[in-house]
Amino acid sequence: DDDRALRTGLQCTEALISNGIMVQLLKRMTGRESPLTASSKSGTWRFFPNIVKYQKDQPKYYSFPSGHLSTAIATLTVIAENYPESNYVKPIGYSVVGLLGVGLVAKDMHWFSDFPLAAALGYEVGKIITSRNNPMEPRHQSTNDFSFSFMPVFLTGGAGVDFLLSF
C-alpha cells in the first residue's frame, strides 16, 4: 500500500526500458571496440556497422556508450527524485556507480571515455521520467520556459528518433 514505492518501481522499469533502447541505438550507430578486442590503442570506431557482423562479434562494436553505467544512473536518479528527503541515496549511489565504472574498465569491458555520454543519458532519462510522473512536486507552467526531449519511435517500416521542442 505504499504509493511512492509503487511509483518508484514503475518509473525504474520505464527508465530501464527507455534507457536500454537509447543505449542500443547509440551502440549500433557508433560501433566502438571494447578494450578486450581493441585493434588500436583507443579502440576502433566503426560507425553504422553491418547488423549481421555486429550480432556475430559484439565486443568489436558495443563499447560506446556504457549501458551498465547509464542504467545505473537512470535508476539512481529515479530513486533519488522520489525520495528527496533521504540524505544517503545520492552519496552511496554515486559511490557505487563510480566503483562500477572502475570495475568495467578494469575488466576491459569499457574505456573511461565511454562514460560521460552514458552518465548524461542515464541522468536525463531519470529526470524526464520523474518530472512528468511525480505528483510530489507541483508543475508550474511558465510562458518563458522551453524544453526539448528525444524519444525512440518504432513504426512498421522502421525506427527513428522523435524530437519534441516545447516553448
Side-chain angles (χ1 to χ4, degrees):
D1 293 331
D2 187 347
D3 289 338
R4 183 161 60 161
L6 178 61
R7 182 182 64 240
T8 303
L10 291 172
Q11 288 176 350
C12 282
T13 302
E14 185 178 356
L16 292 172
I17 293 168
S18 301
N19 186 68
I21 291 168
M22 294 302 294
V23 165
Q24 283 302 312
L25 287 172
L26 289 168
K27 283 180 181 289
R28 291 166 194 271
M29 289 182 347
T30 58
R32 186 180 194 191
E33 285 180 322
S34 70
L36 190 63
T37 62
S39 60
S40 68
K41 186 177 178 181
S42 61
T44 303
W45 295 74
R46 295 177 181 91
F47 294 100
F48 299 99
N50 180 295
I51 294 171
V52 174
K53 289 181 181 178
Y54 182 98
Q55 288 303 117
K56 285 184 180 179
D57 195 6
Q58 288 186 14
K60 278 190 177 178
Y61 307 100
Y62 77 156
S63 185
F64 183 83
S66 171
H68 293 93
L69 196 85
S70 185
T71 301
I73 290 179
T75 304
L76 174 60
T77 303
V78 168
I79 294 168
E81 290 295 310
N82 278 290
Y83 294 91
E85 74 282 358
S86 173
N87 293 328
Y88 61 88
V89 170
K90 287 182 182 179
I92 292 174
Y94 285 117
S95 297
V96 169
V97 169
L99 291 172
L100 171 67
V102 170
L104 290 169
V105 171
K107 289 288 188 179
D108 284 337
M109 294 177 73
H110 284 287
W111 311 90
F112 279 116
S113 57
D114 294 338
F115 298 149
L117 180 63
L121 178 64
Y123 181 77
E124 283 302 313
V125 165
K127 289 295 276 188
I128 289 168
I129 288 170
T130 55
S131 70
R132 62 185 174 78
N133 292 335
N134 198 343
M136 292 175 56
E137 298 176 12
R139 297 169 77 182
H140 301 288
Q141 190 69 17
S142 173
T143 57
N144 297 332
D145 289 346
F146 76 94
S147 65
F148 64 94
S149 64
F150 295 93
M151 189 168 88
V153 177
F154 297 98
L155 306 169
T156 54
V161 178
D162 186 23
F163 175 74
L164 175 64
L165 176 64
S166 302
F167 54 94

